[in-house]
Amino acid sequence: MTMETELSPGFQEPVHGAQQTFRAVLDALSRPGIPVPLSGIEAAPDPMGPTLAAAALTLLDHETGVYLAPPLDIEAVKRYIAFHTGAPTVSEPADADFVIALADRDMPDILQLKTGCAEYPDQSATVLLGVRDFGSGEKVLLSGPGIAETQEFSPGNLDAGFWTTARQNHARFPLGVDFILCGPESVAGLPRSTSIAV
Amino acid sequence: MYVSVKGGEKAIDKAHELLAKERRGNPGVPEITTSQIAEQLTLAVDRVMSEGSLYDRELAALAVKQARGDLIEAIFLIRAYRTTMPRFGYSTPVETSRMAIRRRISATFKDLPGGQILGPTFDYTHRLLDFELEKENPADEDPPATRPEPVDGHTPRVLELLGNQGLMEPPDGACPHNGSDDDSIGDLTRQPLGFPADRDVRLQNLARGDEGFLLALGYSTQRGYGRNHPFAGEIRMGEVRVEFVPEELGFAIEIAEITLTECEMVTQFKGSKNVPPQFTRGYGLAFGHCERKTMSMALVDRALRADEFDEERVAPAQDEEFVLAHSDNIQATGFVEHLKLPHYVDFQSELELLRKMRAEIAKTHVEAAE
Amino acid sequence: MEREKAYNFAYLDEQTKRMIRRAILKAVAIPGYQVPFASREMPMPYGWGTGGVQVTASVLGQDDVLKVIDQGADDTTNAVSIRKFFKKTAGVETTTETGRASVIQTRHRVPEDELRPDQILVYQVPIPEPLRFLEPRETETRTMHALEEYGLMHVKLYEDISRHGHIATTYAYPVHVNARYMMDPSPIPKFDNPKLHRMAALQLFGAGREKRIYAVPPHTQVHSLDFDDHPFEVQKWDKACAICGAEDSFLDEIITDDAGGRMFVCSDTDYCNRQCEGVAK
């Protein structure tokens, strides 16, 4: 028998919490590289963080397979996601509709995730990625839809390797995956449509 | 000075008041009750349940009343109500071979195990207006006919009898999700329709489809537009049990008993190098007593299976995109009737271009004349 | 206004909203691509804006200020009806002032005022597929989009030119988004097409009956199809609005008597009102 531990709560007001989170995520994805303030769920289980938890509870449900990358593949997070969203966990990243990961940890190979196909590029994965902050990382220059000219972007603990992969991801457009970067108090978007210069 | 039209809100409220008055009609005439509709306009209720895809006689009767007898409007009311309902899961497949049969006929055999049961049918009535019905008859002393209970026994379907002799394509061929690479049953109310569609989704689309549309398409196959030489193998109507397996229990419990009409058409035989010639099938199923609907559905289902039998798709009824994209009367009525909405901005654009083009032509003519 | 508590906030159940929200995010990530979604039956008929209503219901929050227009006007019956629907089910504040709105749902027009980054424009779309009238089959048009094979549309437009001397499409004029997907801008007059190009606001498009959602993110390139020898041009009027005197707005023609008398007035009622106020000041 497993020990019954107390389950962390989700949104205080599920309807409005999800709506506010969605609008922040929508705004973020519509304007790549600009962090959008989001309060998130304070009580989220470690090491998820408030904004990552809020994004997950807003977007996941029983129709979306989720892959939890280490170190998020722990019982507390699994139970939290299962209870609040009903999303089935998948063991292979390639089967996931959503991948939840932390930036400098065991991220699955982005290029192996679902990209959609030429007829249905929407049948692709979305990566919810926890980052330390939006200022301490390597600086890149973004351009493309949602960006008037160019946008500087330097999310914490994402290295050159990530940006190489992200550029390869963009090169496959309209196929590819979309990133929602979740910082401590804000979220930022990096859709497949964004071109990246290092 | 010109002032643009305002007061849309007031106009709408007044229109709704008028609508309510029209629905009620002459207040000197007793108001029709929903139970009267549910009991006496049963076939209207059945159609609303079928195409509204919600099995609830009381709600369907209410919808018929609210819609002033406009069945498409009633179906719309039911659909809009249904769509916000939470889902607990999917029932186990209903077993129509265990139906408590009230009507069962086969056009292919004179007699068969289980027998032919004529049941409540208009088939051999003479269509003469019955003026007796104009009178209000006192309540009948006789209690209403009790409906038979669903049987645990098995009334074999005609197509099974043929199948046992190898004369019928195996039910696998008719399995709802043949052609699909997974065994989950599709649900087009949860997943948008894609093409080509699997047969499960196709049948769901037809079951929700407009009776008139399917009737016309079925008819067209009989007149040579995708002919498939059909015989009504069997039509049965009666009550079946609906069972559901709750996750926490792990076994099936009965949650309802519903009336269904099922039609299996025996159609044109086919064979190949590997398979000796066999009859093929078309399938129809609907809530309540909807015989015309299920027969039409079975004809169209078979027509849509053209690819499976290497038949050339030439007729409208064989054209999957055409049939499935236009079968839904709620979508159809919405888009046709939306032409009532203002389009003056677009019309203005056309008008402007037309005037410009006419002016240019007039100018060329003048120039040519000079 | 107190919201009707018998239904969930903004009518749709949360499961439906999540499904639509996921589709919207995909639409934003792939500008101009039509994302299939499991559109629900709404309590208004298909054709009345069920796609736009579902999109609005999925983005709308308590603090939003909603504006609804049909043909540019806030007081057309269907605009009134949709505004009332959200007042009742979401209890949100509504407005007729373009500048005050955070979410604007529209049918057939883009407001004359330039929209801001903090606004979202939701279009009601009847037929989302720009190629549909050239090729009725979804399987075919989907392949054309996949292969970026848009020759058919160019041929059609060029045939117009050779036959009429003009491109005969005056509304729902096709655009090319982010130099990738061909998109139907909904049946707005082509007068409005230039406003879509690099608009600061997010533009979302909902087609309920056809079950598609698509988007144009802010600042995105939206090119109205044309030819070197026949550049894209918009409608022009040689008259000004008879009410406010505006010369830069889309004008509706009003028939004033049965002797052929007519006048022209702004289709954007809010713009017209403010022009009048400006003159008065």
Side-chain angles (χ1 to χ4, degrees):
Chain A
M1 237 186 88
T2 53
M3 279 272 287
E4 278 299 314
T5 48
E6 195 145 310
L7 195 66
S8 308
F11 288 114
Q12 275 180 349
E13 287 187 274
V15 171
H16 302 301
Q19 189 274 334
Q20 284 149 11
T21 307
F22 169 69
R23 278 290 276 280
V25 169
L26 175 63
D27 203 14
L29 213 60
S30 302
R31 295 178 177 78
I34 301 179
V36 180
L38 176 66
S39 49
I41 302 169
E42 283 306 324
D46 280 335
M48 246 193 142
T51 59
L52 195 55
L57 265 55
T58 298
L59 298 174
L60 272 57
D61 57 31
H62 66 270
E63 291 178 349
T64 56
V66 59
Y67 175 80
L68 296 169
L72 293 167
D73 58 342
I74 52 173
E75 202 52 32
V77 175
K78 273 188 195 161
R79 280 186 52 222
Y80 186 77
I81 295 289
F83 180 80
H84 289 294
T85 73
T89 46
V90 298
S91 51
E92 289 301 321
D95 297 330
D97 300 304
F98 282 89
V99 169
I100 307 184
L102 298 182
D104 52 357
R105 309 299 281 269
D106 294 322
M107 253 204 285
D109 182 355
I110 298 305
L111 299 175
Q112 297 304 314
L113 302 180
K114 275 204 276 194
T115 64
C117 58
E119 284 79 14
Y120 294 93
D122 58 302
Q123 293 176 358
S124 56
T126 302
V127 183
L128 309 181
L129 189 59
V131 296
R132 192 191 301 136
D133 55 47
F134 288 112
S136 68
E138 180 171 338
K139 194 172 284 178
V140 293
L141 207 57
L142 310 181
S143 58
I147 300 166
E149 302 289 335
T150 54
Q151 177 65 43
E152 281 188 0
F153 194 37
S154 49
N157 55 346
L158 285 177
D159 57 15
F162 172 80
W163 292 114
T164 306
T165 320
R167 281 216 308 279
Q168 287 171 311
N169 180 52
H170 168 66
R172 303 179 295 186
F173 186 86
L175 308 192
V177 303
D178 308 307
F179 297 91
I180 294 161
L181 278 54
C182 302
E185 288 165 334
S186 52
V187 290
L190 186 67
R192 67 191 80 175
S193 58
T194 302
S195 113
I196 303 158
V198 179
Chain B
M1 193 186 118
Y2 172 81
V3 180
S4 68
V5 189
K6 291 205 193 282
E9 190 151 1
K10 210 181 252 176
I12 292 172
D13 289 344
K14 286 287 172 200
H16 292 175
E17 277 171 34
L18 282 173
L19 179 66
K21 276 207 180 118
E22 285 285 320
R23 183 189 58 69
R24 179 59 184 88
N26 180 353
V29 175
E31 182 166 0
I32 193 168
T33 66
T34 52
S35 52
Q36 283 171 340
I37 295 171
E39 286 298 316
Q40 296 170 40
L41 298 180
T42 45
L43 297 181
V45 167
D46 285 350
R47 181 172 173 196
V48 170
M49 292 197 305
S50 229
E51 292 170 33
S53 40
L54 182 72
Y55 197 96
D56 189 316
R57 298 203 77 81
E58 280 73 35
L59 286 181
L62 172 61
V64 171
K65 176 175 174 174
Q66 189 179 330
R68 302 169 60 196
D70 178 339
L71 295 191
I72 291 185
E73 183 65 30
I75 291 161
F76 184 14
L77 287 167
I78 290 298
R79 289 269 194 95
Y81 177 83
R82 172 195 194 276
T83 197
T84 56
M85 294 286 105
R87 262 131 230 263
F88 299 109
Y90 294 88
S91 75
T92 58
V94 291
E95 190 47 83
T96 51
S97 64
R98 296 200 167 163
M99 180 183 276
I101 289 171
R102 284 196 281 143
R103 169 164 165 80
R104 182 204 193 204
I105 53 162
S106 169
T108 49
F109 294 99
K110 187 174 183 189
D111 202 4
L112 66 161
Q116 305 244 23
I117 303 166
L118 211 46
T121 176
F122 290 119
D123 285 354
Y124 305 102
T125 62
H126 294 146
R127 270 59 169 201
L128 301 170
L129 280 172
D130 179 1
F131 293 102
E132 284 297 302
L133 291 174
E134 279 191 318
K135 298 181 213 153
E136 279 189 46
N137 293 313
D140 207 329
E141 292 297 311
D142 298 331
T146 51
R147 293 181 172 186
E149 284 286 303
V151 283
D152 282 328
H154 183 98
T155 311
R157 296 194 199 86
V158 170
L159 271 64
E160 284 173 43
L161 303 174
L162 285 168
N164 293 342
Q165 302 167 51
L167 298 172
M168 190 76 208
E169 59 160 326
D172 288 344
C175 174
H177 45 88
N178 69 319
S180 163
D181 53 358
D182 68 294
D183 56 0
S184 61
I185 306 276
D187 180 354
L188 55 78
T189 67
R190 299 281 127 172
Q191 293 291 326
L193 185 63
F195 298 107
D198 287 335
R199 189 157 177 237
D200 50 348
V201 171
R202 226 158 60 194
L203 286 169
Q204 185 190 12
N205 175 290
L206 298 180
R208 288 160 58 93
D210 182 73
E211 178 175 308
F213 179 73
L214 297 182
L215 175 66
L217 283 175
Y219 177 46
S220 71
T221 66
Q222 290 178 285
R223 289 195 67 259
Y225 289 86
R227 186 151 188 238
N228 53 40
H229 306 273
F231 298 93
E234 179 171 348
I235 297 162
R236 57 170 70 187
M237 184 276 289
E239 280 64 45
V240 297
R241 289 175 182 149
V242 180
E243 296 188 322
F244 179 70
V245 183
E247 197 83 46
E248 60 273 26
L249 287 184
F251 55 86
I253 54 167
E254 185 183 330
I255 53 168
E257 187 188 295
I258 63 173
T259 306
L260 289 180
T261 307
E262 182 184 55
C263 170
E264 290 194 283
M265 288 283 176
V266 179
T267 54
Q268 195 161 37
F269 56 81
K270 283 279 163 186
S272 68
K273 254 184 267 173
N274 309 323
V275 185
Q278 292 179 315
F279 285 119
T280 56
R281 44 173 108 207
Y283 188 73
L285 186 76
F287 286 154
H289 192 178
C290 294
E291 214 159 292
R292 187 186 301 123
K293 166 69 179 273
T294 50
M295 292 179 76
S296 307
M297 177 176 167
L299 291 174
V300 177
D301 170 48
R302 174 59 185 82
L304 289 174
R305 298 181 65 203
D307 281 355
E308 287 178 52
F309 305 111
D310 295 325
E311 293 163 350
E312 204 185 343
R313 286 181 188 264
V314 283
Q318 296 169 316
D319 185 331
E320 179 177 276
E321 281 206 44
F322 178 78
V323 173
L324 301 191
H326 302 113
S327 64
D328 191 294
N329 51 26
I330 303 308
Q331 291 174 5
T333 200
F335 204 46
V336 167
E337 293 197 52
H338 108 285
L339 292 172
K340 292 183 280 196
L341 294 181
H343 283 79
Y344 49 75
V345 165
D346 295 344
F347 185 71
Q348 187 63 52
S349 301
E350 296 278 87
L351 203 56
E352 190 258 354
L353 178 66
L354 190 65
R355 284 193 181 124
K356 189 168 152 189
M357 279 167 28
R358 288 174 65 95
E360 281 168 10
I361 290 171
K363 198 175 147 210
T364 340
H365 280 253
V366 171
E367 279 165 6
E370 277 167 4
Chain C
M1 182 170 165
E2 190 59 12
R3 138 180 124 75
E4 175 67 63
K5 294 284 174 19
Y7 293 100
N8 191 27
F9 177 82
Y11 182 77
L12 293 178
D13 56 284
E14 290 301 298
Q15 156 64 24
T16 298
K17 283 187 201 166
R18 258 195 308 275
M19 175 272 295
I20 294 172
R21 285 168 179 165
R22 289 194 295 258
I24 292 173
L25 294 182
K26 286 281 163 56
V28 168
I30 317 168
Y33 166 75
Q34 304 162 47
V35 182
F37 81 110
S39 174
R40 306 291 197 240
E41 277 100 351
M42 297 300 286
M44 63 275 290
Y46 288 118
W48 264 245
T50 54
V53 166
Q54 288 179 80
V55 169
T56 297
S58 303
V59 302
L60 208 62
Q62 290 165 303
D63 301 329
D64 274 311
V65 180
L66 178 69
K67 173 183 164 85
V68 183
I69 50 173
D70 185 343
Q71 315 294 302
D74 298 273
D75 49 16
T76 30
T77 40
N78 199 39
V80 169
S81 162
I82 291 172
R83 195 160 57 235
K84 210 169 160 184
F85 175 75
F86 281 114
K87 253 193 216 171
K88 188 171 165 182
T89 59
V92 292
E93 191 187 339
T94 59
T95 184
T96 58
E97 289 172 47
T98 303
R100 282 199 60 228
S102 57
V103 177
I104 302 172
Q105 179 168 329
T106 179
R107 178 167 171 265
H108 296 189
R109 274 310 311 275
V110 178
E112 305 292 0
D113 295 280
E114 203 169 304
L115 298 184
R116 297 186 312 264
D118 60 337
Q119 296 179 305
I120 296 178
L121 184 58
V122 178
Y123 295 78
Q124 300 174 199
V125 182
I127 303 271
E129 178 49 71
L131 302 162
R132 185 59 71 234
F133 299 109
L134 307 174
E135 170 50 67
R137 277 171 206 287
E138 168 71 11
T139 38
E140 295 290 330
T141 53
R142 194 159 277 281
T143 309
M144 291 178 193
H145 284 294
L147 300 175
E148 211 175 339
E149 178 52 67
Y150 296 133
L152 200 59
M153 182 64 88
H154 287 101
V155 169
K156 189 260 168 195
L157 295 179
Y158 214 87
E159 276 174 2
D160 275 5
I161 294 172
S162 54
R163 191 175 309 153
H164 306 296
H166 293 275
I167 290 173
T169 303
T170 57
Y171 60 94
Y173 191 102
V175 295
H176 206 197
V177 178
N178 188 30
R180 175 57 182 87
Y181 283 100
M182 185 173 291
M183 186 187 93
D184 181 308
S186 88
I188 54 171
K190 67 177 183 175
F191 176 88
D192 285 339
N193 272 29
K195 298 177 190 165
L196 273 70
H197 179 59
R198 301 205 185 282
M199 185 191 281
L202 169 65
Q203 304 175 72
L204 300 175
F205 299 77
R209 189 179 40 76
E210 298 278 339
K211 301 175 169 48
R212 298 288 184 274
I213 286 173
Y214 52 103
V216 176
H219 312 297
T220 301
Q221 190 194 93
V222 178
H223 174 74
S224 300
L225 301 190
D226 62 358
F227 301 94
D228 290 340
D229 52 347
H230 276 87
F232 174 78
E233 53 184 30
V234 299
Q235 293 104 320
K236 287 188 202 83
W237 285 262
D238 49 14
K239 301 203 172 48
C241 170
I243 298 177
C244 72
E247 292 174 347
D248 55 355
S249 64
F250 186 91
L251 300 178
D252 288 334
E253 182 172 334
I254 313 278
I255 297 176
T256 50
D257 54 42
D258 52 11
R262 51 200 171 96
M263 63 191 284
F264 290 87
V265 298
C266 289
S267 111
D268 184 334
T269 47
D270 175 56
Y271 184 76
C272 194
N273 290 342
R274 272 181 304 101
Q275 296 297 312
C276 287
E277 284 163 17
V279 169
K281 276 172 203 164

